[in-house]
Amino acid sequence: MLAEPRSFCAGVRRAIDIVEVALERFGAPIYVRKQIVHNEHVVSDLEARGVRFVDSADMVPPGEVCVLSAHGVSPEVRQGAEERGLTVIDATCPLVAKVHQESRRFAEDGRTILLVGHAEHEEVEGTFGEAPERTLVVSTVEDVHALDLPRDAPVAFLTQTTLALDETEEIIEAMRERFDDLLGPGSDDICYASQNRQNAVKAIAARTDLVLVVGSENSSNSVRMVEVARTAGAAAHLVPGPEHFQESWLVGVESVGVSAGASAPEVLVDGLLRRLADLGYGRVEVERTATENVVFQLPALLKGTG
């Protein structure tokens, strides 16, 4: 049972396109701060073509091209890169950029921002950096209850875009019960692609014994998909690549569901399907729960190239 939609979302496709077009225009090496997207296969492929991934823009030689990853960065990182004379190309997903904009707006209004997410995730680090003196990161309902803020404090909430929708709603509901003056974004921060992939995983989990999600271990949206499948009642595993699949998972399994996180390329899904076919699971049925036709434009610096 193959979930649809799956694999690359518009933001990931745009980020990879940005790096590839930058390679064509400027030539190797191209430097990228952090992983352009959270997938080892994508990173290795780009490295082989002359892309150098660095942990900090400070590691990029002055005057070189520096691409900022899809997860977004703080204003401090952006300013530091520009001060060093780097040619900065921003591959931040437009949906993440929307959250940054909301953070600035709430901070200007004097509100304390409750950012729902995982503090160690790059996206949260970038959003936090928009208003660090006014932002508190919360990950659980318990974190909300433990906040040292009065009930009438003017607060606002934002969320990491790749979280599980059900879990996030519980945390937001706890905020509504905890605070009298709570504002949220005009529309959900959790991106359409994360929601669509979670919905598709729920659908296949209801019809299969085992769900396999292709994605890297540091891919938040892929990890959430595994959790969603397990919550829906299916056994589920994260599969970084076909070589990580374990035949023992198939013991007693009649039907298998397959999907992939938004940063996982389709070629890895194809490889996993071939392995399953070799083991007797060769008939594939597609479960389509949504159709995606979103396309994000390249930055102005790269338009008209590639």
Side-chain angles (χ1 to χ4, degrees), residues 256-281:
V256 181
V258 174
S259 188
S263 52
E266 188 69 12
V267 64
L268 298 181
V269 177
D270 294 340
L272 178 59
L273 292 177
R274 285 194 295 272
R275 283 212 61 187
L276 289 169
D278 291 342
L279 294 167
Y281 298 80

PDB file of all heavy atoms in Angstrom, residues 256-281:
ATOM      1  N   VAL A 256       1.865  -4.398   3.742  1.00  0.00           N
ATOM      2  CA  VAL A 256       2.851  -3.386   4.145  1.00  0.00           C
ATOM      3  C   VAL A 256       2.454  -2.031   3.560  1.00  0.00           C
ATOM      4  O   VAL A 256       2.116  -1.934   2.374  1.00  0.00           O
ATOM      5  CB  VAL A 256       4.265  -3.762   3.646  1.00  0.00           C
ATOM      6  CG1 VAL A 256       5.279  -2.710   4.101  1.00  0.00           C
ATOM      7  CG2 VAL A 256       4.658  -5.144   4.136  1.00  0.00           C
ATOM      8  N   GLY A 257       2.502  -1.004   4.379  1.00  0.00           N
ATOM      9  CA  GLY A 257       2.293   0.364   3.911  1.00  0.00           C
ATOM     10  C   GLY A 257       3.637   1.053   3.759  1.00  0.00           C
ATOM     11  O   GLY A 257       4.538   0.864   4.581  1.00  0.00           O
ATOM     12  N   VAL A 258       3.804   1.832   2.706  1.00  0.00           N
ATOM     13  CA  VAL A 258       5.067   2.531   2.447  1.00  0.00           C
ATOM     14  C   VAL A 258       4.791   4.006   2.180  1.00  0.00           C
ATOM     15  O   VAL A 258       3.886   4.357   1.418  1.00  0.00           O
ATOM     16  CB  VAL A 258       5.805   1.925   1.232  1.00  0.00           C
ATOM     17  CG1 VAL A 258       7.054   2.756   0.886  1.00  0.00           C
ATOM     18  CG2 VAL A 258       6.207   0.485   1.505  1.00  0.00           C
ATOM     19  N   SER A 259       5.562   4.870   2.839  1.00  0.00           N
ATOM     20  CA  SER A 259       5.519   6.295   2.553  1.00  0.00           C
ATOM     21  C   SER A 259       6.926   6.847   2.710  1.00  0.00           C
ATOM     22  O   SER A 259       7.877   6.099   2.964  1.00  0.00           O
ATOM     23  CB  SER A 259       4.544   7.024   3.482  1.00  0.00           C
ATOM     24  OG  SER A 259       4.388   8.366   3.053  1.00  0.00           O
ATOM     25  N   ALA A 260       7.054   8.163   2.552  1.00  0.00           N
ATOM     26  CA  ALA A 260       8.362   8.804   2.682  1.00  0.00           C
ATOM     27  C   ALA A 260       8.181  10.221   3.171  1.00  0.00           C
ATOM     28  O   ALA A 260       7.226  10.911   2.793  1.00  0.00           O
ATOM     29  CB  ALA A 260       9.099   8.796   1.346  1.00  0.00           C
ATOM     30  N   GLY A 261       9.105  10.665   4.005  1.00  0.00           N
ATOM     31  CA  GLY A 261       9.069  12.021   4.515  1.00  0.00           C
ATOM     32  C   GLY A 261       9.302  13.043   3.421  1.00  0.00           C
ATOM     33  O   GLY A 261       9.762  12.721   2.316  1.00  0.00           O
ATOM     34  N   ALA A 262       9.020  14.302   3.742  1.00  0.00           N
ATOM     35  CA  ALA A 262       9.068  15.366   2.738  1.00  0.00           C
ATOM     36  C   ALA A 262      10.471  15.657   2.232  1.00  0.00           C
ATOM     37  O   ALA A 262      10.639  16.324   1.213  1.00  0.00           O
ATOM     38  CB  ALA A 262       8.453  16.639   3.315  1.00  0.00           C
ATOM     39  N   SER A 263      11.499  15.167   2.930  1.00  0.00           N
ATOM     40  CA  SER A 263      12.868  15.402   2.483  1.00  0.00           C
ATOM     41  C   SER A 263      13.512  14.151   1.885  1.00  0.00           C
ATOM     42  O   SER A 263      14.703  14.150   1.567  1.00  0.00           O
ATOM     43  CB  SER A 263      13.724  15.916   3.653  1.00  0.00           C
ATOM     44  OG  SER A 263      13.601  15.053   4.777  1.00  0.00           O
ATOM     45  N   ALA A 264      12.745  13.077   1.716  1.00  0.00           N
ATOM     46  CA  ALA A 264      13.283  11.813   1.196  1.00  0.00           C
ATOM     47  C   ALA A 264      13.004  11.686  -0.304  1.00  0.00           C
ATOM     48  O   ALA A 264      11.856  11.802  -0.726  1.00  0.00           O
ATOM     49  CB  ALA A 264      12.670  10.634   1.939  1.00  0.00           C
ATOM     50  N   PRO A 265      14.026  11.430  -1.122  1.00  0.00           N
ATOM     51  CA  PRO A 265      13.820  11.320  -2.566  1.00  0.00           C
ATOM     52  C   PRO A 265      13.095  10.036  -2.955  1.00  0.00           C
ATOM     53  O   PRO A 265      13.211   9.007  -2.289  1.00  0.00           O
ATOM     54  CB  PRO A 265      15.247  11.342  -3.134  1.00  0.00           C
ATOM     55  CG  PRO A 265      16.113  10.866  -2.017  1.00  0.00           C
ATOM     56  CD  PRO A 265      15.453  11.321  -0.748  1.00  0.00           C
ATOM     57  N   GLU A 266      12.373  10.108  -4.063  1.00  0.00           N
ATOM     58  CA  GLU A 266      11.577   8.983  -4.542  1.00  0.00           C
ATOM     59  C   GLU A 266      12.442   7.776  -4.899  1.00  0.00           C
ATOM     60  O   GLU A 266      11.994   6.641  -4.819  1.00  0.00           O
ATOM     61  CB  GLU A 266      10.748   9.419  -5.745  1.00  0.00           C
ATOM     62  CG  GLU A 266       9.721   8.407  -6.225  1.00  0.00           C
ATOM     63  CD  GLU A 266       8.557   8.209  -5.260  1.00  0.00           C
ATOM     64  OE1 GLU A 266       8.423   9.016  -4.313  1.00  0.00           O
ATOM     65  OE2 GLU A 266       7.781   7.259  -5.458  1.00  0.00           O
ATOM     66  N   VAL A 267      13.701   8.014  -5.266  1.00  0.00           N
ATOM     67  CA  VAL A 267      14.583   6.904  -5.648  1.00  0.00           C
ATOM     68  C   VAL A 267      14.760   5.921  -4.488  1.00  0.00           C
ATOM     69  O   VAL A 267      14.895   4.704  -4.701  1.00  0.00           O
ATOM     70  CB  VAL A 267      15.954   7.435  -6.132  1.00  0.00           C
ATOM     71  CG1 VAL A 267      16.698   8.164  -5.013  1.00  0.00           C
ATOM     72  CG2 VAL A 267      16.802   6.314  -6.707  1.00  0.00           C
ATOM     73  N   LEU A 268      14.717   6.419  -3.251  1.00  0.00           N
ATOM     74  CA  LEU A 268      14.839   5.532  -2.090  1.00  0.00           C
ATOM     75  C   LEU A 268      13.570   4.710  -1.897  1.00  0.00           C
ATOM     76  O   LEU A 268      13.627   3.550  -1.486  1.00  0.00           O
ATOM     77  CB  LEU A 268      15.137   6.345  -0.828  1.00  0.00           C
ATOM     78  CG  LEU A 268      16.445   7.135  -0.824  1.00  0.00           C
ATOM     79  CD1 LEU A 268      16.616   7.877   0.494  1.00  0.00           C
ATOM     80  CD2 LEU A 268      17.643   6.213  -1.077  1.00  0.00           C
ATOM     81  N   VAL A 269      12.424   5.308  -2.199  1.00  0.00           N
ATOM     82  CA  VAL A 269      11.161   4.564  -2.147  1.00  0.00           C
ATOM     83  C   VAL A 269      11.185   3.443  -3.178  1.00  0.00           C
ATOM     84  O   VAL A 269      10.798   2.302  -2.890  1.00  0.00           O
ATOM     85  CB  VAL A 269       9.964   5.505  -2.404  1.00  0.00           C
ATOM     86  CG1 VAL A 269       8.652   4.713  -2.427  1.00  0.00           C
ATOM     87  CG2 VAL A 269       9.905   6.586  -1.333  1.00  0.00           C
ATOM     88  N   ASP A 270      11.645   3.757  -4.380  1.00  0.00           N
ATOM     89  CA  ASP A 270      11.721   2.736  -5.439  1.00  0.00           C
ATOM     90  C   ASP A 270      12.597   1.567  -5.009  1.00  0.00           C
ATOM     91  O   ASP A 270      12.264   0.401  -5.257  1.00  0.00           O
ATOM     92  CB  ASP A 270      12.281   3.359  -6.722  1.00  0.00           C
ATOM     93  CG  ASP A 270      11.346   4.391  -7.329  1.00  0.00           C
ATOM     94  OD1 ASP A 270      10.146   4.363  -6.999  1.00  0.00           O
ATOM     95  OD2 ASP A 270      11.823   5.225  -8.120  1.00  0.00           O
ATOM     96  N   GLY A 271      13.719   1.869  -4.357  1.00  0.00           N
ATOM     97  CA  GLY A 271      14.613   0.813  -3.895  1.00  0.00           C
ATOM     98  C   GLY A 271      13.961  -0.062  -2.846  1.00  0.00           C
ATOM     99  O   GLY A 271      14.128  -1.291  -2.851  1.00  0.00           O
ATOM    100  N   LEU A 272      13.201   0.547  -1.938  1.00  0.00           N
ATOM    101  CA  LEU A 272      12.512  -0.226  -0.909  1.00  0.00           C
ATOM    102  C   LEU A 272      11.421  -1.103  -1.533  1.00  0.00           C
ATOM    103  O   LEU A 272      11.251  -2.268  -1.141  1.00  0.00           O
ATOM    104  CB  LEU A 272      11.903   0.716   0.133  1.00  0.00           C
ATOM    105  CG  LEU A 272      11.112   0.048   1.263  1.00  0.00           C
ATOM    106  CD1 LEU A 272      11.985  -0.932   2.044  1.00  0.00           C
ATOM    107  CD2 LEU A 272      10.519   1.106   2.204  1.00  0.00           C
ATOM    108  N   LEU A 273      10.696  -0.573  -2.503  1.00  0.00           N
ATOM    109  CA  LEU A 273       9.652  -1.361  -3.172  1.00  0.00           C
ATOM    110  C   LEU A 273      10.256  -2.562  -3.891  1.00  0.00           C
ATOM    111  O   LEU A 273       9.652  -3.648  -3.906  1.00  0.00           O
ATOM    112  CB  LEU A 273       8.879  -0.482  -4.162  1.00  0.00           C
ATOM    113  CG  LEU A 273       8.006   0.621  -3.545  1.00  0.00           C
ATOM    114  CD1 LEU A 273       7.352   1.453  -4.643  1.00  0.00           C
ATOM    115  CD2 LEU A 273       6.945   0.033  -2.609  1.00  0.00           C
ATOM    116  N   ARG A 274      11.431  -2.393  -4.469  1.00  0.00           N
ATOM    117  CA  ARG A 274      12.093  -3.536  -5.128  1.00  0.00           C
ATOM    118  C   ARG A 274      12.459  -4.606  -4.108  1.00  0.00           C
ATOM    119  O   ARG A 274      12.285  -5.804  -4.374  1.00  0.00           O
ATOM    120  CB  ARG A 274      13.335  -3.060  -5.886  1.00  0.00           C
ATOM    121  CG  ARG A 274      13.026  -2.323  -7.193  1.00  0.00           C
ATOM    122  CD  ARG A 274      14.267  -2.178  -8.056  1.00  0.00           C
ATOM    123  NE  ARG A 274      15.273  -1.338  -7.434  1.00  0.00           N
ATOM    124  CZ  ARG A 274      15.333  -0.011  -7.576  1.00  0.00           C
ATOM    125  NH1 ARG A 274      14.421   0.615  -8.311  1.00  0.00           N
ATOM    126  NH2 ARG A 274      16.300   0.671  -6.993  1.00  0.00           N
ATOM    127  N   ARG A 275      12.954  -4.215  -2.951  1.00  0.00           N
ATOM    128  CA  ARG A 275      13.289  -5.190  -1.906  1.00  0.00           C
ATOM    129  C   ARG A 275      12.052  -5.932  -1.443  1.00  0.00           C
ATOM    130  O   ARG A 275      12.072  -7.161  -1.254  1.00  0.00           O
ATOM    131  CB  ARG A 275      13.945  -4.485  -0.713  1.00  0.00           C
ATOM    132  CG  ARG A 275      15.394  -4.101  -0.945  1.00  0.00           C
ATOM    133  CD  ARG A 275      16.195  -4.164   0.328  1.00  0.00           C
ATOM    134  NE  ARG A 275      16.231  -5.503   0.906  1.00  0.00           N
ATOM    135  CZ  ARG A 275      16.756  -5.794   2.094  1.00  0.00           C
ATOM    136  NH1 ARG A 275      17.291  -4.839   2.830  1.00  0.00           N
ATOM    137  NH2 ARG A 275      16.756  -7.019   2.561  1.00  0.00           N
ATOM    138  N   LEU A 276      10.961  -5.204  -1.250  1.00  0.00           N
ATOM    139  CA  LEU A 276       9.716  -5.836  -0.813  1.00  0.00           C
ATOM    140  C   LEU A 276       9.191  -6.793  -1.886  1.00  0.00           C
ATOM    141  O   LEU A 276       8.696  -7.882  -1.572  1.00  0.00           O
ATOM    142  CB  LEU A 276       8.665  -4.769  -0.486  1.00  0.00           C
ATOM    143  CG  LEU A 276       8.919  -3.958   0.789  1.00  0.00           C
ATOM    144  CD1 LEU A 276       7.983  -2.759   0.858  1.00  0.00           C
ATOM    145  CD2 LEU A 276       8.751  -4.835   2.034  1.00  0.00           C
ATOM    146  N   ALA A 277       9.314  -6.400  -3.151  1.00  0.00           N
ATOM    147  CA  ALA A 277       8.867  -7.267  -4.249  1.00  0.00           C
ATOM    148  C   ALA A 277       9.657  -8.569  -4.265  1.00  0.00           C
ATOM    149  O   ALA A 277       9.092  -9.655  -4.483  1.00  0.00           O
ATOM    150  CB  ALA A 277       8.998  -6.538  -5.580  1.00  0.00           C
ATOM    151  N   ASP A 278      10.952  -8.475  -4.022  1.00  0.00           N
ATOM    152  CA  ASP A 278      11.796  -9.677  -3.986  1.00  0.00           C
ATOM    153  C   ASP A 278      11.387 -10.616  -2.858  1.00  0.00           C
ATOM    154  O   ASP A 278      11.646 -11.828  -2.923  1.00  0.00           O
ATOM    155  CB  ASP A 278      13.270  -9.283  -3.803  1.00  0.00           C
ATOM    156  CG  ASP A 278      13.851  -8.587  -5.025  1.00  0.00           C
ATOM    157  OD1 ASP A 278      13.247  -8.715  -6.119  1.00  0.00           O
ATOM    158  OD2 ASP A 278      14.885  -7.908  -4.890  1.00  0.00           O
ATOM    159  N   LEU A 279      10.741 -10.077  -1.839  1.00  0.00           N
ATOM    160  CA  LEU A 279      10.341 -10.869  -0.677  1.00  0.00           C
ATOM    161  C   LEU A 279       8.867 -11.278  -0.746  1.00  0.00           C
ATOM    162  O   LEU A 279       8.309 -11.772   0.233  1.00  0.00           O
ATOM    163  CB  LEU A 279      10.613 -10.074   0.605  1.00  0.00           C
ATOM    164  CG  LEU A 279      12.103  -9.800   0.893  1.00  0.00           C
ATOM    165  CD1 LEU A 279      12.257  -8.755   1.979  1.00  0.00           C
ATOM    166  CD2 LEU A 279      12.810 -11.101   1.300  1.00  0.00           C
ATOM    167  N   GLY A 280       8.247 -11.067  -1.902  1.00  0.00           N
ATOM    168  CA  GLY A 280       6.878 -11.540  -2.108  1.00  0.00           C
ATOM    169  C   GLY A 280       5.794 -10.491  -1.972  1.00  0.00           C
ATOM    170  O   GLY A 280       4.607 -10.801  -2.093  1.00  0.00           O
ATOM    171  N   TYR A 281       6.200  -9.256  -1.728  1.00  0.00           N
ATOM    172  CA  TYR A 281       5.216  -8.169  -1.602  1.00  0.00           C
ATOM    173  C   TYR A 281       5.292  -7.304  -2.866  1.00  0.00           C
ATOM    174  O   TYR A 281       5.716  -6.145  -2.831  1.00  0.00           O
ATOM    175  CB  TYR A 281       5.498  -7.324  -0.354  1.00  0.00           C
ATOM    176  CG  TYR A 281       5.395  -8.102   0.940  1.00  0.00           C
ATOM    177  CD1 TYR A 281       6.449  -8.923   1.370  1.00  0.00           C
ATOM    178  CD2 TYR A 281       4.257  -8.039   1.732  1.00  0.00           C
ATOM    179  CE1 TYR A 281       6.357  -9.651   2.554  1.00  0.00           C
ATOM    180  CE2 TYR A 281       4.159  -8.764   2.914  1.00  0.00           C
ATOM    181  CZ  TYR A 281       5.211  -9.571   3.314  1.00  0.00           C
ATOM    182  OH  TYR A 281       5.135 -10.292   4.479  1.00  0.00           O
TER     183      TYR A 281
END
